[in-house]
Amino acid sequence: MTCIFCEKTDNLFENDLAKAFFDKFPASKGHILIVPRRHVPDYFGLTNEEHAAVQELLTKSKCYLDDQFAPDGYNIGANVGQAGGQTVFHCHIHLIPRYAGDCPEPAGGVRGAIPGKQTYQQRGL
Ligand code: 5GP
Ligand code: ZN
């Protein structure tokens, strides 16, 4: 079996259990993917040790992006399963830097995974 993420070697950051590299088709300037080294299909298959390794690279990548591109915000997310929008079945966490004005209405962020459901009306408490 060949897997593009198993084969990836041009990493921005890496540790014993995970690696981070730029997304080939970035949603915004600096879009990074953090993946476990082990071929595990999705986020829920990570061990506790892999979670810690991925978290370390997520933080390192965020500091790097702050330094390089000074974004105004971030989206962090994992698509799980075809219905959840996943297209590469080697677990990966998206770190997407956001820039003020990069879309007309940013409120709701990751809720935008379902078109039309990004924003919501808060009702009382
Ligand atoms: P998914 O849709 O599975 O959550 O995300 C897959 C991500 O992988 C997409 O953001 C896509 O742009 C990225 N991608 C697809 N092929 C490649 C590749 O060959 N190299 C890299 N670095 N990213 C890729
Ligand atoms: Zn893989």
Side-chain angles (χ1 to χ4, degrees), residues 32-106:
I32 288 174
L33 300 174
I34 296 99
V35 315
R37 286 190 185 277
R38 184 171 64 96
H39 183 90
V40 55
D42 70 51
Y43 180 82
F44 293 105
L46 293 179
T47 64
N48 290 342
E49 291 75 20
E50 285 167 333
H51 270 291
V54 161
Q55 182 57 48
E56 184 195 20
L57 298 192
L58 193 58
T59 303
K60 271 192 179 170
S61 299
K62 190 266 185 194
C63 291
Y64 171 84
L65 293 174
D66 281 348
D67 188 51
Q68 292 294 308
F69 303 126
D72 302 297
Y74 287 93
N75 296 118
I76 303 162
N79 298 325
V80 176
Q82 224 166 10
Q86 189 172 3
T87 60
V88 176
F89 290 86
H90 177 136
C91 171
H92 50 283
I93 289 91
H94 295 261
L95 175 61
I96 302 178
R98 297 297 304 274
Y99 302 91
D102 66 4
C103 77
E105 183 43 83

